[in-house]
C-alpha cells in the first residue's frame, strides 16, 4: 500500500470525491512534478540548452502546478469543490502544454523529454478523470 492510499484510508471523515480517482490523481501529480524537475535538469545538461529554454520553463511551471494541485487535493477537511476544480483545470492545461513541448523534443532524440511527456499525459488524464467526478 502506498502512502497516499494509507493516508486516505485513515482520514476520519467521509470523502466528497471518489477515493480511487483521488489517490490516482495525487500520485500522478507527484510523479509528474518529479519527472518535470528531472527533465528540466537534464535539459540544462544538453549541448543545445539555448533551444530548450521554453521546455525548461514549462517543466518548472508544470512541476510547481502539479505539486500545488497534489497538495490541494490531499487536504480534504472543509473541502471546497470550486478550489479543487480550479486547481485541476490549471494542472490539466499545464500538463498538456508541457507534454506537447516535451514530445517535440523527444522526437528529436531527447529520451528524458519522452519520459516526461508520458508523465504529463498520465497526470493530465488522472486530473481529467477526477475533475469529471466533482459536482
Amino acid at each position: 500500500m502506498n502512502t497516499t492510499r494509507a493516508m486516505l484510508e485513515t482520514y476520519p471523515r467521509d470523502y466528497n470525491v471518489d477515493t480511487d480517482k483521488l489517490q490516482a490523481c495525487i500520485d500522478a501529480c507527484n510523479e509528474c512534478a518529479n519527472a518535470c524537475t528531472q527533465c528540466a535538469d537534464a535539459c540544462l545538461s544538453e549541448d543545445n540548452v539555448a533551444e530548450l529554454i521554453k521546455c525548461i520553463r514549462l517543466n518548472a511551471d508544470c512541476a510547481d502546478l502539479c505539486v500545488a494541485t497534489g497538495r490541494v487535493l490531499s487536504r480534504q477537511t472543509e473541502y471546497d469543490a470550486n478550489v479543487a476544480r480550479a486547481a485541476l483545470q490549471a494542472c490539466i492545461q499545464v500538463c498538456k502544454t508541457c507534454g506537447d513541448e516535451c514530445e517535440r523534443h523527444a522526437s528529436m532524440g531527447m529520451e528524458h523529454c519522452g519520459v516526461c511527456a508520458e508523465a504529463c499525459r498520465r497526470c493530465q488524464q488522472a486530473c481529467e478523470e477526477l475533475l469529471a467526478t466533482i459536482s
Side-chain angles (χ1 to χ4, degrees):
M1 177 182 314
N2 77 14
T3 303
T4 304
R5 173 58 66 181
M7 292 305 296
L8 291 174
E9 287 182 359
T10 61
Y11 184 70
R13 295 184 186 175
D14 291 332
Y15 285 96
N16 294 319
V17 296
D18 179 294
T19 54
D20 290 334
K21 289 186 182 347
L22 179 61
Q23 177 196 341
C25 192
I26 292 168
D27 288 341
C29 284
N30 291 331
E31 181 182 300
C32 188
N34 288 334
C36 286
T37 299
Q38 291 175 305
C39 187
D41 184 65
C43 285
L44 288 169
S45 294
E46 294 285 355
D47 292 335
N48 59 337
V49 71
E51 297 169 25
L52 298 168
I53 292 171
K54 182 176 182 177
C55 190
I56 294 165
R57 167 59 192 265
L58 286 170
N59 284 155
D61 289 348
C62 193
D64 287 346
L65 282 167
C66 286
V67 166
T69 301
R71 290 175 59 99
V72 166
L73 296 175
S74 293
R75 294 187 290 265
Q76 291 297 306
T77 303
E78 299 305 320
Y79 170 81
D80 187 316
N82 291 323
V83 172
R85 266 194 296 279
L88 287 165
Q89 289 166 340
C91 197
I92 289 165
Q93 182 59 60
V94 76
C95 285
K96 180 183 180 344
T97 303
C98 186
D100 289 349
E101 183 68 15
C102 281
E103 275 182 11
R104 194 168 71 78
H105 296 291
S107 71
M108 295 183 277
M110 293 180 201
E111 291 181 48
H112 55 85
C113 285
V115 172
C116 187
E118 290 172 13
C120 288
R121 298 297 181 226
R122 284 190 302 274
C123 187
Q124 178 184 349
Q125 181 177 356
C127 287
E128 288 170 346
E129 289 175 6
L130 181 61
L131 182 61
T133 69
I134 297 175
S135 52

